[in-house]
Amino acid sequence: MLQQLSGLSSQRGASATSIVLFIIVLGVAAKLVIAIVPAQVGDYQLTKTLESQLKEANNNSVAANQFVEHVNKQLSINADYDTKAEDVFTFTNKKTGQLAIYKKYEKTNTLYGNVDIVNRFEGNIDAAAAE
């Protein structure tokens, strides 16, 4: 009979503390995803835009300064008003028809209070990558 009572008093399922901890962990994970995923998608879109503009500029033998103007115009069309071409990339090759760039920039998103998530993006984009 004593064994039956001890068996009944043993816990079954999750405790209130474990449920609260699970909800907190789930909330932090969701906040991280919300802070990171849009920056990654934005970088993918920016890279595709730069690649297409670079391919077009090299095919049409456009000079470097005109390329920057075209990129800024395209960013404005895409409603990316906060991004300027001069802040996102530098030229690794300025020869007309052989333009190549090095993309390097950061996006900062607030996680909680004064805790920020900093996403850094960098990479080379040349005529071969733009094909």
Side-chain angles (χ1 to χ4, degrees):
M1 183 126 176
L2 189 57
Q3 286 180 338
Q4 289 177 345
L5 289 177
S6 67
L8 293 175
S9 66
S10 66
Q11 180 182 350
R12 295 178 191 257
S15 68
T17 305
S18 63
I19 291 172
V20 169
L21 287 175
F22 177 74
I23 291 172
I24 290 171
V25 168
L26 193 61
V28 170
K31 187 74 170 158
L32 278 170
V33 167
I34 290 170
I36 294 172
V37 170
Q40 296 292 329
V41 171
D43 178 60
Y44 174 78
Q45 292 172 337
L46 178 64
T47 300
K48 290 300 177 189
T49 300
L50 291 174
E51 286 175 352
S52 68
Q53 291 293 318
L54 189 64
K55 180 179 179 183
E56 183 179 323
N58 284 334
N59 288 340
N60 296 333
S61 297
V62 172
N65 58 350
Q66 290 175 319
F67 171 72
V68 172
E69 290 174 16
H70 287 259
V71 169
N72 280 328
K73 186 176 181 182
Q74 186 62 44
L75 291 172
S76 177
I77 290 171
N78 293 349
D80 193 354
Y81 303 114
D82 296 336
T83 306
K84 299 291 179 219
E86 300 84 3
D87 300 334
V88 174
F89 66 83
T90 57
F91 285 97
T92 56
N93 187 353
K94 283 190 170 186
K95 283 185 178 177
T96 303
Q98 298 176 356
L99 296 176
I101 58 175
Y102 180 71
K103 174 187 71 166
K104 183 177 182 180
Y105 69 101
E106 306 178 337
K107 287 283 186 180
T108 304
N109 296 338
T110 302
L111 186 62
Y112 289 108
N114 63 351
V115 178
D116 292 335
I117 299 290
V118 179
N119 295 289
R120 289 188 176 98
F121 303 102
E122 56 185 280
N124 286 316
I125 301 175
D126 56 9
E131 294 294 323

